[in-house]
Amino acid sequence: MMSKSKSERPLRATYRVQVHKEFTLQHAREIVPYLARLGISHLYTSPILKARPGSTHGYDVADPTVVNPEIGGETAFRALVDMLHEHGMGYVLDIVPNHMGTGDSNPYWEDMLANGRGSRYAHWFDVDWDVPDPALQGRVLVPVLGDELDAVLERGELSIASVDGKDGVRLRYFDKSFPLSPETVSDWSKGTANGKEASARLRGILDRQHYSLVSWRRAATDINYRRFFDINELIALRMEDASVFDATHGRILEWVEDGSLDGLRIDHIDGLFDPGAYLERLRAEVTKRRGADFPIFVEKILSPGEQLPREWPVQGTTGYEILNDLESVLIDPKGFAAIEREYHDLVRSTGLPERFEDVAMEGKLAVLRGALHPDVARLARLLAPIAATSPRRAQHAGGGRTPTDERVAPEMLTDGIVELIACLPVYRTYLDGGDGRVRAADADVLDRAFTLARERGKAAAEVLDLLSDVLRPESPPAVEGERAARRLFVRRFQQTSGPATAKGVEDTALYLYMPLVSRDEVGGAPDRPLAKAISVLHEANVIRADHWPQNLVCTNTHDTKRSTGVRSRVDVLSEIPGEWMTRVHRWRSLNAAHRTSASGQTAPDPNTEYLFYQALLGIWPLGVPAGELPSQAAMEGLRERLEAYMLKAAKEGKARTTWTDPDAAFEDALKVFVQGALFDSPKFAADFAEFATHITRRGLWNALARTLLHLTVPGVPDIYQGDELWSFSLVDPDNRRPVDYDARRATLGRLETAEIEQSGHVADLLRTAEDGRLKMHVMRETLRARRDHPHVFSHGTYRALRATGTEGESVIAFARTHGDDAAITVVPRLVADLIGDRTAPTGGTIWGDAKLELPKELAERHWRCALTGRLMTSSSSRGGLNVGEILATIPVALLLAEPA
C-alpha cells in the first residue's frame, strides 16, 4: 500500500467513532469525505481487532491477529485506510493491551482451559495458579453458572456433546461451551453409560479439567485471574512478558509500518504491571517503523492537580483532565455552594454523607471488600511472607520473636491494604518496587494516604508501617529473593488501586453525590474548589502548551456520563440556585402520588428523584415552543431513555439496588415514577416544560463557549461522534445511539452554500441556534483556522488575557502566539444575569464597558474574527478591544491577527 508520510498528515483534530456490527468500517469509510470537509485531520476509532461475537465496543478482543469480521474484516479496513489517505487524513486506533475477552471465540483462552498451566498460552494470562483452596490448585475458576454446580448437574443443564463449528466433543452449558482436556476426551469416548452412572462420570470429568465451573456469584470471593475491573469476561494479560507483547502487537505494528495507522490510543494504561516499561517498548517499536514522533496517547485519568509522568514517551492523555478544567469555569461557585447546602437537606434522610470525600471513601472500601476482594486477598498472600521477615516485626514485638508471632494475621494485612488503597488520592502510583527510588509526586500522594489511613485508625499501625517500608523503602533489601518479592507486591498493589478508584468513585460515588451532576464526570471531583477555576484552567493550559502540546482535548467521549450539551444545561442551574431548588421542591410535591413503597422504604428516594429532574432537564428536546410539551413520540422517547438511565444509575450507585443483587420492587417503583411523572402529572409536566424552555437556550451559550475552548486550548481537539451538532445524551448506551450523518451532511452543505460575508449569515445562525448550524459553523471555521495557522495552535505560546469593566469577570480569554502569528479566543461565562430576558450575550448593551486588555506585542494589530469575518483594530490608547465589539454578532470569537 502506498501512503503519505506522517508529516503530510499533520495531527490537527480527531473524530472518534465507535465501530461495531451496526456501524462497520464500511460505514466509517462513507463518512470520510464529510469529515474532511468539516476539517477533521484524523479518524479515531474504537478497537477493530477480532472481538467476542456481538461486541458493541471492541474492548473484548478475542484474537489480536485479525480484523474483526463483524465490522468488515481486512477488506473493509484497507478500503477505509485508502479512503482516508485519498482525503489527506490519518487514522488513530484504540488498542487494548491490558486484557482480552474470554469465551470460545478466543483460541488462546480455549487452549489454556484445555491444557492448564501447561498450555503454550498460559503465560499470556494473569492467573494465580497457586491459590490456598486445594480444589483450585492449578485450575482456573470460571464463574459462569447460574447456580451451584450440584444444582446445575441435577437439573441436567451440563452435558458433553458436539458443538457446531468446533472440533470434537465439548462441555455445554446452554449457549456456552468449553473445551475438554485431551486426556478426558478419550476417557469420555470410551463409555456409553446412562443415568446415575453417566452423571457420576460427568462429575468425574469435570473434576479433572484444568478449570472449575462455578456459580457466577463466587467471582466476588474466589476468582483467581485478574480481570478488567470486576468484569469476569475480560481476563488480564501479562503484558510485562515480551513474548505476549510481540504476539498481541504484531498486527498493530505492521499497520504502523505500512502507513495504515498514524497514531495509537492505549486503553487502561494503569492496569499494566509496569506502564512505563510497556510504553518504552512500544515507543521503541513504533520508532523503528515510523519515527520518534509517531503519536501515542494514553487513557489516563488524572486526579485534580496530578500531572502525567514526564518521563513517559507519549504525546499525552486522552484529555479528561481538560474536560474537567473546562467544566469548572462554567459553574458559579456561590450558586453551586447554595445548591449543595439545600441538596444536603433534601437527601439527609437517605443517610448520604455530607462530604463527597466520605462518599468516595465508602465507595472504594465497598468495592475493595466486595467485587475486588480476590485482588486484595492475592495482595495479602504476597505480603504475608514479607511481613514475616520484616525488621518492623521485631520492633513491634518488642525486639524479639516467638513462634506464634512469625506471621501477621491475614485479616490484619487485608485491612491495611484496603485502607491504604482507599486513602490514595490518585488512581495509582508508578513505583518501581525494587530499587528504592520514588518519584516526588508518588512520595507526596503516599504521604497523604498514610497520614489519612493512620488518622482513620481502621488498620493496624504495624501493617501500615510494613506497607510504608515496602512501598517506599529507605534502601532495597540485600537479598535478591526479598527484592523480587517486594517488587511483585508493589506492582500488583498499583494494579489494584486503579480499579478501586474507577469502580468506587466513578461507578459508585459519582452516582450518589449529585448536587450538580455536571460535576460528576470521569476524572471529576464534585468537591473540587471552584473559586479560582479560571486561574486553574490558565495554569494548566500553560503546562500543556509547554510540555504536552499534542495532548488530546476531549469534552465528550464514549465513556462520559453526560454529553457536553447536558452538562452545559445543568451548569446554568448554578446561576439560578434559588429558582432551581424552589422548582425541585414544587416538583416533588406534584409527583408525590407517583412515589410508592419498595422493600419498606419510599421509592424513589429523594436522591434518586433529584437525579431524575437533572437528567430530564439535560435531555429535554430543543425547539419546543414556550408553554407546550414535546410531541407524544418525543415524550415516549424520553420515557424509554430515562427508564434505562435511571435504572443503570441506581444500580451503579448501589444504594437501593445493584447489578448483582437487584431489588426488583425498587426497580419497578422507579419505572412507575418515570411513567407517572411524564404522563400522569400534567401540572408537573407543564411547570417543567416552562422551566426547561427558560434554561435550554442559556445552556446553548455554555455549550458554544465550551466548543470554542475545546478547539483552541493547547492540544489536539478530539470530537466524539455526532458532537458537531448539539449533543444531549446520557451515559452508555444512550451516548452510543446511531448518529444521523445524513442530517449532518445536509447541515454542512447548507453552511457551505450560504453567504460567507458574514455578519448577516452568522446572525441568522444565531437566530436559529437550536438547529445546530451555529455550533457546526464555529467548529468548521475554527478547524479551518487550525489548518491555516498550524504553528499557532500546535506549538504556540499560551497567554491568559484579562477583561476589565463591570462585566469583565464573565469573560474567558487567552492568546496563542507563534512568531508574528497570533490567535485570541474570547468566550462568555455565567451570563444568566447579564442577558436577563434577552436571547443571547451579544453586543454593547450586554457587555457595557468591558474591555479585553492586550499585551504590548498584540496591541496595534488588526484582527479578523474567523467566525464572523469582522475586522477589528486594537490599540494601546483604547485599552485593547471592547468585548461588546468582539461579541457583537455571536457569543464567541476567534480573532486571528492580520499579517503585519
Side-chain angles (χ1 to χ4, degrees), residues 15-79:
Y15 188 94
R16 166 81 182 207
V17 295
Q18 295 296 111
V19 184
H20 46 83
K21 66 179 181 179
E22 301 299 330
F23 187 87
T24 67
L25 294 174
Q26 173 60 30
H27 291 106
R29 181 179 181 272
E30 292 168 1
I31 67 170
V32 168
Y34 157 74
L35 296 179
R37 288 160 53 203
L38 187 62
I40 301 298
S41 69
H42 286 65
L43 181 70
Y44 162 30
T45 75
S46 57
I48 64 169
L49 295 172
K50 185 179 179 181
R52 285 160 52 98
S55 174
T56 60
H57 48 73
Y59 290 98
D60 45 359
V61 175
D63 189 341
T65 66
V66 296
V67 180
N68 191 351
E70 287 192 348
I71 62 173
E74 184 75 23
T75 300
F77 170 73
R78 291 297 173 191

Side-chain angles (χ1 to χ4, degrees), residues 106-119:
N106 183 333
Y108 315 96
W109 163 263
E110 286 261 296
D111 194 272
M112 183 181 69
L113 292 188
N115 298 291
R117 64 198 311 171
S119 165

Side-chain angles (χ1 to χ4, degrees), residues 515-715:
L516 213 60
V517 293
S518 54
R519 305 196 73 191
D520 294 326
E521 200 45 83
V522 178
D527 56 352
R528 175 177 172 173
L530 293 170
K532 296 182 179 180
I534 293 180
S535 296
V536 170
L537 173 66
H538 286 317
E539 291 166 5
N541 283 340
V542 169
I543 294 172
R544 284 189 279 265
D546 289 345
H547 299 285
W548 308 104
Q550 284 194 306
N551 201 103
L552 289 185
V553 180
C554 71
T555 55
N556 194 17
T557 77
H558 59 292
D559 281 335
T560 46
K561 299 186 185 303
R562 294 158 196 90
S563 68
T564 52
V566 171
R567 300 199 310 271
S568 295
R569 279 187 190 171
V570 173
D571 288 342
V572 175
L573 303 180
S574 71
E575 302 179 64
I576 53 169
E579 181 180 357
W580 165 242
M581 295 308 298
T582 296
R583 297 270 187 167
V584 168
H585 289 298
R586 183 187 306 163
W587 298 334
R588 281 181 49 75
S589 177
L590 292 172
N591 285 324
H594 306 302
R595 291 192 289 272
T596 55
S597 178
S599 303
Q601 301 179 65
T602 300
D605 56 86
N607 202 27
T608 304
E609 185 175 345
Y610 182 74
L611 172 62
F612 168 77
Y613 298 129
Q614 293 188 74
L616 178 58
L617 176 65
I619 64 172
W620 191 260
L622 273 177
V624 178
E628 296 184 19
L629 293 177
S631 68
Q632 182 69 18
M635 290 294 286
E636 283 292 342
L638 288 176
R639 180 192 59 76
E640 290 179 7
R641 294 170 65 193
L642 285 167
E643 279 187 1
Y645 170 72
M646 293 301 297
L647 182 60
K648 175 168 182 171
K651 286 178 176 289
E652 296 285 9
K654 308 172 187 65
R656 298 287 299 274
T657 187
T658 70
W659 295 107
T660 54
D661 290 297
D663 183 328
F666 175 82
E667 294 178 5
D668 289 343
L670 196 52
K671 290 182 180 180
V672 167
F673 180 83
V674 172
Q675 168 76 28
L678 292 178
F679 293 101
D680 301 321
S681 186
K683 289 185 178 179
F684 161 72
D687 195 70
F688 192 93
E690 186 271 329
F691 179 77
T693 302
H694 182 55
I695 295 297
T696 51
R697 191 158 254 238
R698 293 179 179 181
L700 295 184
W701 311 142
N702 276 345
L704 197 66
R706 192 194 311 263
T707 298
L708 188 57
L709 292 172
H710 175 199
L711 298 172
T712 57
V713 297

Side-chain angles (χ1 to χ4, degrees), residues 284-492:
E285 294 296 331
V286 299
T287 297
K288 284 191 298 186
R289 292 161 172 81
R290 288 285 288 282
D293 58 351
F294 184 89
I296 298 175
F297 307 99
V298 291
E299 186 212 24
K300 164 63 187 170
I301 311 301
L302 296 169
S303 298
E306 184 184 6
Q307 298 294 322
L308 191 68
R310 296 272 177 89
E311 63 270 22
W312 283 5
V314 299
Q315 272 59 41
T317 72
T318 53
Y320 284 110
E321 68 281 0
I322 311 175
L323 179 154
N324 286 289
D325 287 344
L326 295 178
E327 196 68 52
S328 294
V329 300
L330 299 175
I331 298 172
D332 187 309
K334 293 182 180 178
F336 174 77
I339 289 175
E340 192 173 41
R341 286 192 297 271
E342 287 213 40
Y343 169 76
H344 290 152
D345 290 339
L346 179 68
V347 304
R348 185 163 286 115
S349 63
T350 67
L352 186 74
E354 288 204 356
R355 299 191 310 169
F356 175 72
E357 63 186 272
D358 294 330
V359 181
M361 175 66 72
E362 288 185 1
K364 292 174 76 172
L365 290 171
V367 166
L368 286 162
R369 291 169 179 157
L372 297 182
H373 170 76
D375 303 85
V376 174
R378 190 175 185 183
L379 284 173
R381 291 196 297 273
L382 292 174
L383 188 58
I386 300 173
T389 60
S390 169
R392 287 276 189 174
R393 283 291 288 141
Q395 294 176 19
H396 281 279
R401 291 191 184 172
T402 67
T404 59
D405 62 11
E406 283 297 312
R407 291 186 178 274
V408 181
E411 59 270 19
M412 292 174 62
L413 296 178
T414 299
D415 288 345
I417 292 167
V418 166
E419 278 290 311
L420 185 61
I421 291 177
C423 291
L424 275 175
V426 295
Y427 279 67
R428 72 164 282 173
T429 52
Y430 301 96
L431 308 171
D432 174 79
D435 58 12
R437 292 179 298 176
V438 178
R439 297 165 59 246
D442 290 335
D444 175 63
V445 297
L446 285 172
D447 285 343
R448 290 157 60 189
F450 278 109
T451 297
L452 179 57
R454 290 189 170 99
E455 288 176 352
R456 284 171 51 83
K458 305 293 185 180
E462 175 182 2
V463 176
L464 293 176
D465 288 344
L466 170 66
L467 287 167
S468 180
D469 284 347
V470 174
L471 293 170
R472 47 181 190 185
E474 294 182 4
S475 60
V479 180
E480 172 54 32
E482 292 185 20
R483 287 200 300 272
R486 288 174 176 241
R487 182 184 298 114
L488 179 60
F489 173 83
V490 170
R491 297 286 175 80
R492 291 206 174 279

Side-chain angles (χ1 to χ4, degrees), residues 40-177:
I40 301 298
S41 69
H42 286 65
L43 181 70
Y44 162 30
T45 75
S46 57
I48 64 169
L49 295 172
K50 185 179 179 181
R52 285 160 52 98
S55 174
T56 60
H57 48 73
Y59 290 98
D60 45 359
V61 175
D63 189 341
T65 66
V66 296
V67 180
N68 191 351
E70 287 192 348
I71 62 173
E74 184 75 23
T75 300
F77 170 73
R78 291 297 173 191
L80 171 60
V81 171
D82 288 342
M83 178 66 78
L84 288 167
H85 291 176
E86 286 176 18
H87 288 79
M89 293 174 63
Y91 190 167
V92 176
L93 178 64
D94 195 343
I95 66 172
V96 194
N98 178 71
H99 54 267
M100 293 183 76
T102 63
D104 60 11
S105 60
N106 183 333
Y108 315 96
W109 163 263
E110 286 261 296
D111 194 272
M112 183 181 69
L113 292 188
N115 298 291
R117 64 198 311 171
S119 165
R120 55 182 169 162
Y121 301 113
H123 69 289
W124 279 37
F125 302 108
D126 194 351
V127 178
D128 186 359
W129 297 97
D130 298 309
V131 294
D133 184 352
L136 272 181
Q137 283 283 320
R139 305 176 77 193
V140 181
L141 188 87
V142 183
V144 296
L145 303 181
D147 204 340
E148 294 302 322
L149 178 60
D150 288 342
V152 169
L153 286 171
E154 186 175 342
R155 291 194 294 266
E157 294 169 353
L158 278 168
S159 63
I160 294 179
S162 60
V163 176
D164 289 344
K166 298 289 184 180
D167 295 332
V169 293
R170 296 170 62 85
L171 184 63
R172 296 190 62 170
Y173 179 66
F174 294 107
D175 61 342
K176 295 180 171 62
S177 73

Side-chain angles (χ1 to χ4, degrees), residues 188-302:
W188 178 262
S189 63
K190 295 175 183 175
T192 56
N194 298 311
K196 292 183 179 180
E197 185 179 348
S199 179
R201 290 187 65 239
L202 176 57
R203 182 58 184 259
I205 293 288
L206 287 171
D207 290 342
R208 294 170 58 196
Q209 298 308 310
H210 298 288
Y211 56 91
S212 177
L213 298 184
V214 299
S215 165
W216 63 270
R217 289 188 177 276
R218 282 189 60 187
T221 55
D222 299 329
I223 200 165
N224 63 334
Y225 60 84
R226 190 170 62 85
R227 302 159 291 175
F228 171 69
F229 297 166
D230 59 350
I231 302 174
N232 300 335
E233 293 78 17
L234 297 178
I235 185 170
L237 292 166
R238 295 183 62 252
M239 198 52 62
E240 63 273 18
D241 186 311
S243 66
V244 178
F245 178 98
D246 292 339
T248 56
H249 287 67
R251 199 68 205 280
I252 294 162
L253 292 173
E254 286 178 10
W255 293 335
V256 171
E257 186 165 13
D258 71 14
S260 299
L261 299 182
D262 300 279
L264 295 173
R265 182 259 200 193
I266 314 303
D267 181 65
H268 192 43
I269 190 68
D270 278 349
L272 301 183
F273 190 73
D274 188 341
Y278 168 81
L279 292 171
E280 291 285 354
R281 183 177 181 86
L282 181 62
R283 173 57 68 192
E285 294 296 331
V286 299
T287 297
K288 284 191 298 186
R289 292 161 172 81
R290 288 285 288 282
D293 58 351
F294 184 89
I296 298 175
F297 307 99
V298 291
E299 186 212 24
K300 164 63 187 170
I301 311 301
L302 296 169

